Each structure stands twice: as structure tokens, then as C-alpha cells.
Amino acid sequence: MYVVVPFSPERPKTRLAPALAADEREALAWAMLADVLEAVRETGHTPTVLTTAPLEPPRVPETDHLADDLWADLETVVDDRPLSTAVNALLEAAEDSAALVMADLALATPDALETLFAADADVAIAPGRGGGTNALVVRHPGFRVDYHGTSYLDHHDRVRAIGASLESVDSFRLATDVDEPADLVEVLVHTDGYASTVLERLGFSLTVTDGRVGLER
Amino acid sequence: MYVVVPFSPERPKTRLAPALAADEREALAWAMLADVLEAVRETGHTPTVLTTAPLEPPRVPETDHLADDLWADLETVVDDRPLSTAVNALLEAAEDSAALVMADLALATPDALETLFAADADVAIAPGRGGGTNALVVRHPGFRVDYHGTSYLDHHDRVRAIGASLESVDSFRLATDVDEPADLVEVLVHTDGYASTVLERLGFSLTVTDGRVGLER
């Protein structure tokens, strides 16, 4: 299966600005990409990164735990068009089944991805919070993505429109894209990978105030 | 298996106050309880509601789709002590395995609950966002709950401390407790049960602004 991980190296993760400076967001974005690539590789598949610009990993202390061989033989496709356009170009060219896995799924595990990859519907979708589509598998030549808005519901409509079968994959780990400061809590609670290490190096830890969990730095 | 659904009928869901008036929050809380009870029953188990006060379902137009037989033969245990104390009293008395399922898991399906109930570890936990514990199965006599703070991590520590085995159950549906206004989006996107009907009767619908999903009323 052709496994594609879309990534945007230019000014990534702007919605994390309340918690992280620009270079810190960049370090975290690359660390999350590394976590996702590693999880994909552990399922036995070779990921291809669909990127808006050639990949140049940052050389900063926060990411010096990301070994060069993470990127050494990495398949990449550079396409600076909007995400849905670029993804659909790859789906059109794909000869067989394809999977799309977002680069900010820091909680993704090989088990969660294998459950998705093993779904035998024409289209299998792992929803994100807020009606998003965090990961999907496409085995039907007529399916195209549209990531704008309530993509989860729109993708349902498209699957129906082309007469394909659909499966929704119920995974908290795949539903958790790291977009906003509150999401950083999930990285610290549920992972110990590259992204978690970046957050620890940046001085973040969990706190409990009035019975609720938050972050302190 | 003894399946317990803790419910607090007095001033429920106060964190939804930015979106819903007090009587609306009450209607939604009962509708979510009805959704959870129905999902549990569809797994073949008989739920017991652990409640802080005797159950008196509201008689308002928003909940007139909740049939009386939802509550007619319902097993209840009234205990007005703090949640963890009341739950631990039930765990102490339980002769066999017990499951705890929160009453605000409006997205819970029989499939998601069956995956949890089928876990064969001594303790199986479905985490909630923010380090919470949304549902769990206990098959070890030495385990006790503490829902305060990062209960997911605290429960891990307790499982280790008593030498029991642990499984984490990866479910978006069980991870989504409906606490805050943003969570109402998930109810409308992913369900069509009692809670979804209440929100529709209250005039809520999904909107897309700048590519992001929200609610309008």
C-alpha cells in the first residue's frame, strides 16, 4: 500500500502559537513527523512524505535526538498546491490502494495504523475531532479528498455518491491531531516518542489544578 | 459483568453553561444517559445507574422522545458521596468483574463498549481527553479508582502497584466525554441518538467558517 504523509515545513502549527514560539513549533512539527514515519515503518510500509517544499530538517538542540537516518532514504513528493489538490493528484496516480496519514498524529501507534490499514472497505476513515479526517485508506479509484470544513461528513457523502463502501475507524490515537495547546497534554500523557522529548526539552510538564490537567513550563 | 454508569442529576454539565441554559443542560445530560444505557443494553448487559440522588427524569419538551421504559426497570444505587468513594464501595461489593462507563459518553456504541468489555487484562481503561478515565473494566479485587486529576496516569500507577495487568483501549468514541461546548460538535457529527435529537430540538446545527467546524443556533 502506498502510504502518504502530507507535511508542510513552512511555518507549521501556527495554532500552537499561544504555547510555543515559531522555532519551537517547527521543532515539534518535525518531531511529530518523525513519530508518524516511525509508526508507519513499524507496520511494514514505506512512507512517502508529500511536502510543500523540499525537506530540510532543522538543526536545533531540541531536535538533535532525530537521527539523520530518519530522513536519509525518505521518499518525498514536493507539491506546493493546496493539500486536497496535491493529495488527489497522488490518488489519481496510485495504482493500488493508498493511505493518507496526517503528520501531526503524534499519538499514532503501529497497532492503531494497522487497524486502519486492515479495514477492507473501499474507503476507511479515522475521524479527527471537529469533523476532520485524520487518516484514511482508499481502495476505490473514484474517490477524491476534500479536507476543507467538515471533511469527515463530506467524505461520507462522496463515498456514497460513487457507490463505494465505507468504514469508520474508531481510534482515539488517530483522532488526536496536535493543533492547539490543549493537545500537548495528550502528547505528554500518551506518548514517549520524539515529540514528547521535544516538549520535555522545552520544559513542559503536566500539572493538576482543581482536579483538571494542564501544562506548565 | 456488573456495568455501572455513574450519573449526577443535580445541576449536571455546568461546563456547558456558555452554550446551554441550566434546564437545557439537564435535558442533554438525561439524553446522553439514555444513549449510554441503550448502548450498554445492546451489548447484552444490564446497566446499573450509580446516582447521587433518586432519579426523576425531567418532563420537558426537549426530552419527550425519551420513553418511560428507558427508566422503568432501571437498576439504581443512590450514593451521594464523592464519585470515587461511591464507585469504590461498589467495586468492593462486586463479586465478579465490573465495568464503569461515564454517563456523558454520547458517542458510545455497542461495538466500542464490547471492545472494552472483551479486554482480558485485570484492568482495561479507555482514556478520555485530558488524562481522564472515561470507561474501565476491573477484574482484579485489589483495584480502586481515583477520578481526580490525571486519573488515567494514576490508574496506571495503581495497576502496577497491585501487580495487575493493564490494557489501554483505543477508542475515539469512548474518549469523547461531552463536557464543553466544542464537544457538542462531536455529538452532531457522529451520532443520531437521544442527545443529538435534544441538540437539534434546541436549534443547534453545524457550521463551517474559514474551513473550521463550529455550531450555530
Side-chain angles (χ1 to χ4, degrees), chain A residues 75-150:
Chain A
E75 304 277 342
T76 59
V77 173
V78 180
D79 189 332
D80 65 359
R81 290 178 292 174
L83 175 62
S84 300
T85 310
V87 166
N88 285 331
L90 293 184
L91 287 179
E92 262 170 61
E95 292 173 2
D96 195 9
S97 57
L100 279 298
V101 180
M102 291 300 159
D104 61 353
L105 303 185
L107 277 65
T109 54
D111 276 357
L113 290 172
E114 269 164 11
T115 301
L116 171 72
F117 295 165
D120 54 13
D122 293 329
V123 179
I125 304 181
R129 274 180 287 140
T133 301
N134 281 1
L136 80 168
V137 166
V138 181
R139 300 182 197 281
H140 189 291
F143 184 79
R144 296 292 177 269
V145 300
D146 178 358
Y147 282 109
H148 191 82
T150 50

Side-chain angles (χ1 to χ4, degrees), chain A residues 98-210:
Chain A
L100 279 298
V101 180
M102 291 300 159
D104 61 353
L105 303 185
L107 277 65
T109 54
D111 276 357
L113 290 172
E114 269 164 11
T115 301
L116 171 72
F117 295 165
D120 54 13
D122 293 329
V123 179
I125 304 181
R129 274 180 287 140
T133 301
N134 281 1
L136 80 168
V137 166
V138 181
R139 300 182 197 281
H140 189 291
F143 184 79
R144 296 292 177 269
V145 300
D146 178 358
Y147 282 109
H148 191 82
T150 50
S151 67
Y152 180 72
L153 295 175
D154 295 343
H155 287 151
H156 273 238
D157 290 345
R158 281 162 183 247
V159 169
R160 267 183 232 109
I162 60 172
S165 64
L166 179 72
E167 182 173 337
S168 184
V169 175
D170 177 29
S171 167
F172 169 60
R173 290 184 168 277
L174 300 183
T176 307
D177 44 334
V178 178
D179 277 329
E180 297 177 357
D183 302 328
L184 302 178
V185 168
E186 309 304 340
V187 177
L188 289 177
V189 169
H190 293 284
T191 77
D192 57 1
Y194 297 113
S196 172
T197 300
V198 166
L199 291 178
E200 283 159 16
R201 288 183 180 193
L202 292 173
F204 285 97
S205 61
L206 296 171
T207 63
V208 179
T209 311
D210 295 333

